[in-house]
Structure formats: structure tokens, C-alpha cells
Amino acid sequence: MIDTHLLALQLMAAQGALGAFDTLYHHEGTEALPRRGTAGRELAIHATRSSIYCALFIGLSSWAWHGAWAWVLLAVFGVEIVLTLWDFVVEDRSRLLPPTERVTHTVLAINAGAFIALLAMSATDWAARPTAMVWQPQGWLGAFLACAAWAWASRACAMPSRRALSSGAASRSRRAMHRRRCASDRNRSACW
């Protein structure tokens, strides 16, 4: 029989690695979101999601969430799903995503759906037990997830978000985004 908790943690480790790549390469590298005045809402959503993932990585790396805690875990999954969908809408309204970022986000969403489904199966069993956080270490994988969460949280605390230097930078960013959208739009007359 497959250990769904262990498989979910393996998928979470992959999620963490791919999410770190997305943040470092796309959000902070090629797209430079912290320097865009128009990215405030997107960055706030990302910060909230990062906090949720840190809590999940630490909370699931060595514990089983029994009783009422299982319901808390399911509620956290619901919040994460809503934030992911909201993030998609905000991104599409605020900027044109490069193809590699769109593909990365799709893979992240599929992977998150897989590990959430696996953990939801565990949570239904956990919910029937007495309420407790039960120590259930997962060896090197649990240690990796806890250390990754700690490192990511430390990085976030050491590097506060930066805003655009001036409102002119935000205006130039909106104009550039409009030009890119219009350049790819077949009905260019609507853009001018």
C-alpha cells in the first residue's frame, strides 16, 4: 500500500524547489516584480502563499494532524486554492507573463492539486482520531522540508519588498505592458 503522506511530502519538496525557481528566476529576475509599482497586490498574495507553504512544510514534515487539526489543515488547503486562483487573475490583469512563467505556474498548480488531494485523503482518516498533533518524523525528507521552510522564511525577513522608485516607473511599466499586449494582439486597431 502507498504511504500517501510520504508521497505528498515528496511532491511538496518538488513544489518547494519549483516555487523557489519561479520566485528567483521569474518574479525577482526576469520580471523584477519587487521594483514594479504595479505589482503590490501580486507580491502581497505571493507573501501570503509563502507563509502558508512555510507553515505546511514545517507542520507536515514531522506531524500528523489529528481530530480538529485535520479540519484546520483542510481549511488551509482551501485558502491556498483560493489564493492561487486570485493570483492567476491578478497576474493576468497586471502584466503579460512570459511563456516559461505560465508553464511553471501550470506545473505548480497541477503538483499542488496532487499533493493536496493526497493529504486530503490522509486528513479524512486523521479527522476521525482524537485531536492532537502527533509526532510522525519523515526522516531526511521531513528534515529537508523543515530546513527549506526555515531558509525561505529567513530570506523573506532579510529582504523586504522594494517599491518602484517613482510613480513614473509604474507608468512606464503600464505603457510597456500595453505595447507588448498590442504587439501580440491580432486586432491591433482596438489597442490604439
Side-chain angles (χ1 to χ4, degrees), residues 150-163:
W150 176 82
W152 197 256
S154 298
R155 177 190 172 280
C157 290
M159 194 175 131
S161 294
R162 295 170 303 276
R163 292 280 184 196

Side-chain angles (χ1 to χ4, degrees), residues 3 30 89 105 132 135 138 145 147 156 184:
D3 182 349
T30 60
V89 171
H105 289 180
W135 179 251
Q138 299 294 323
L145 288 170
C147 289
S184 66

Side-chain angles (χ1 to χ4, degrees), residues 91-178:
E91 286 173 339
D92 286 343
R93 287 183 177 168
S94 65
R95 63 189 177 96
L96 182 65
L97 272 67
T100 57
E101 187 174 4
R102 177 66 67 205
V103 169
T104 302
H105 289 180
T106 301
V107 173
L108 283 165
I110 292 168
N111 189 60
F115 80 71
I116 288 172
L118 289 168
L119 287 168
M121 288 191 291
S122 294
T124 56
D125 177 48
W126 292 345
R129 299 180 184 204
T131 298
M133 292 292 281
V134 178
W135 179 251
Q136 194 176 46
Q138 299 294 323
W140 69 268
L141 182 57
F144 170 79
L145 288 170
C147 289
W150 176 82
W152 197 256
S154 298
R155 177 190 172 280
C157 290
M159 194 175 131
S161 294
R162 295 170 303 276
R163 292 280 184 196
L165 295 175
S166 69
S167 61
S171 178
R172 287 189 299 277
S173 175
R174 282 192 297 276
R175 284 193 305 268
M177 183 178 71
H178 179 73

Side-chain angles (χ1 to χ4, degrees), residues 35-60:
R35 291 187 296 278
R36 288 187 183 189
T38 58
R41 180 172 287 151
E42 183 178 352
L43 290 172
I45 294 169
H46 293 171
T48 304
R49 292 179 71 209
S50 289
S51 299
I52 289 171
Y53 272 105
C54 283
L56 287 175
F57 276 31
I58 292 170
L60 290 165

Side-chain angles (χ1 to χ4, degrees), residues 9-51:
L9 293 180
Q10 291 167 342
L11 292 174
M12 286 177 71
Q15 187 83 355
L18 191 55
F21 162 77
D22 184 42
T23 297
L24 297 173
Y25 180 75
H26 291 121
H27 300 171
E28 294 178 10
T30 60
E31 295 298 301
L33 293 183
R35 291 187 296 278
R36 288 187 183 189
T38 58
R41 180 172 287 151
E42 183 178 352
L43 290 172
I45 294 169
H46 293 171
T48 304
R49 292 179 71 209
S50 289
S51 299

Side-chain angles (χ1 to χ4, degrees), residues 63-82:
W63 288 276
W65 300 41
H66 290 181
W69 287 111
W71 295 108
V72 170
L73 180 63
L74 292 172
V76 169
F77 290 155
V79 168
E80 166 53 21
I81 290 167
V82 168

